[in-house]
Amino acid sequence: MGEGLGFYKEYVAGMNAGLATVAVGHPFDTVKVKLQKHNTDVEGLRYKNGLHCASRILQTEGVKGLYRGATSSFLGMAFESSLMFGIYSQAKLFLRGSLPDDGPRPEIIVPSAMFGGAIISFVLCPTELVKCRMQIQGTDSLVPNFRRYNSPLDCAVQTVKNEGVTGIFRGGSATLLRECAGNAVFFTVYEYLRYHIHSRLEGSKLKDGYLVDMGIGVLTGGLGGIACWSAVLPFDVAKTIIQTSPDKATETNPFKVLRSIHKRAGVKGCYAGLGPTIVRAFPANAAAIVAWELSMKLLGIKRD
């Protein structure tokens, strides 16, 4: 893996994983963002739960409302996942060096995942700011009427015009913390589960079947996603609050933002959007891993 110019294939496989993630997970993400924005306001709860929020969106905007902001998300995730999976694979190969391939090593997985997470946070921050600002718009009467953006490009242009270039990177600290910690958790759970399942299947006729590989990818990717988002959701809540606030003077320290949310809404507020996040985490991350592993197999990349 990574020999000669073949390393580019890992980035192509990662891009496919990102596209699969958005296609499956964006509607759940829209519900999550609306809950995080509106259910942590000073005025109190706006939606009873994720199902109530989703039904309101469908009633007032239709399916299109659930995919609001998807354009920037597709572009961002394609590039982000390409970088994340490519950098993770290359960093893991570099850190392993001449060590024997005798199973997952946390001293290799964790720094590789955190390094990749740190790099992609600089890509994700502006694209997610645009996505979140598009997602909180809508015709739902339960939420206030915000200044409308006509498109993701319009949102980005207005943000830079009104807040400067640094405005598009608002929420960078929260994004960095979420991506470093989240990817470390995700890849650790994924690698260990994958290794132990394949170990159990060693010598079995099922080991090399496509459907079995897909099933393992669904299970390991899905459980990895649930573990990841369960660990970092508070940072994601803080990021959403920071990025969607119309006030330029909004606090940008994620820990201070979470402290403020905790005072207003308790621990529940810090985990706003937990329901749709967990519901989204399994299928979205399962789709990412299946797309990644299938792409690598088709591109002739051998997994360790």
Side-chain angles (χ1 to χ4, degrees):
M1 184 165 58
E3 294 179 357
L5 294 177
F7 73 89
Y8 81 90
K9 296 179 180 180
E10 292 160 1
Y11 292 87
V12 173
M15 180 185 69
N16 291 336
L19 295 175
T21 300
V22 178
V24 173
H26 193 81
F28 299 103
D29 189 66
T30 298
V31 173
K32 178 204 71 174
V33 168
K34 282 187 176 275
L35 286 172
Q36 290 176 342
K37 172 61 178 174
H38 301 298
N39 283 25
T40 57
D41 282 346
V42 177
E43 290 84 355
L45 295 176
R46 303 300 180 89
Y47 299 109
K48 297 174 184 177
N49 49 47
L51 187 60
H52 177 227
C53 179
S55 66
R56 290 292 308 180
I57 295 171
L58 288 172
Q59 287 173 18
T60 58
E61 303 174 65
V63 175
K64 183 180 178 181
L66 291 172
Y67 278 92
R68 187 178 293 277
T71 302
S72 64
S73 197
F74 269 114
L75 293 174
M77 280 299 292
F79 187 43
E80 174 264 321
S81 286
S82 176
L83 282 178
M84 182 64 234
F85 283 97
I87 291 172
Y88 171 72
S89 298
Q90 294 295 309
K92 195 171 66 160
L93 186 67
F94 173 78
L95 291 176
R96 183 178 293 278
S98 59
L99 291 173
D101 183 13
D102 55 357
R105 293 174 179 264
E107 68 272 21
I108 294 175
I109 296 170
V110 172
S112 298
M114 292 187 72
F115 177 61
I119 298 296
I120 66 168
S121 67
F122 293 100
V123 177
L124 274 178
C125 185
T127 58
E128 289 208 357
L129 180 140
V130 171
K131 172 185 72 69
C132 288
R133 292 189 176 188
M134 292 295 294
Q135 285 174 318
I136 64 170
Q137 295 186 149
T139 57
D140 194 340
S141 60
L142 290 182
V143 299
N145 289 321
F146 287 98
R147 180 183 60 198
R148 300 283 186 247
Y149 298 114
N150 297 321
S151 65
L153 180 61
D154 179 48
C155 177
V157 170
Q158 286 198 43
T159 298
V160 173
K161 182 179 178 181
N162 297 325
E163 303 174 39
V165 176
T166 56
I168 202 74
F169 285 96
R170 184 195 286 191
S173 297
T175 306
L176 177 66
L177 288 168
R178 186 194 70 180
E179 291 305 307
C180 287
N183 279 292
V185 172
F186 173 78
F187 281 105
T188 298
V189 172
Y190 161 70
E191 294 282 13
Y192 271 91
L193 282 176
R194 180 179 180 275
Y195 174 77
H196 287 295
I197 293 174
H198 276 285
S199 295
R200 292 291 184 91
L201 293 177
E202 194 67 41
S204 169
K205 295 180 180 179
L206 298 174
K207 189 176 186 295
D208 298 318
Y210 272 96
L211 289 179
V212 173
D213 282 347
M214 287 182 64
I216 295 173
V218 167
L219 182 63
T220 56
L223 292 178
I226 289 175
C228 164
W229 282 101
S230 297
V232 302
L233 186 60
F235 290 132
D236 190 63
V237 172
K239 182 190 75 69
T240 298
I241 299 302
I242 294 167
Q243 291 186 326
T244 57
S245 173
D247 185 3
K248 295 180 184 179
T250 297
E251 178 60 63
T252 58
N253 183 317
F255 295 103
K256 290 183 178 180
V257 171
L258 285 172
R259 190 179 303 123
S260 176
I261 294 172
H262 186 268
K263 286 181 180 179
R264 293 197 305 268
V267 174
K268 186 177 180 180
C270 295
Y271 279 88
L274 178 63
T277 298
I278 296 302
V279 171
R280 168 190 178 272
F282 193 97
N285 287 280
I289 289 299
V290 169
W292 181 46
E293 292 188 341
L294 180 59
S295 295
M296 287 197 299
K297 182 169 286 191
L298 292 175
L299 291 168
I301 303 172
K302 185 178 180 181
R303 285 297 313 278
D304 53 6

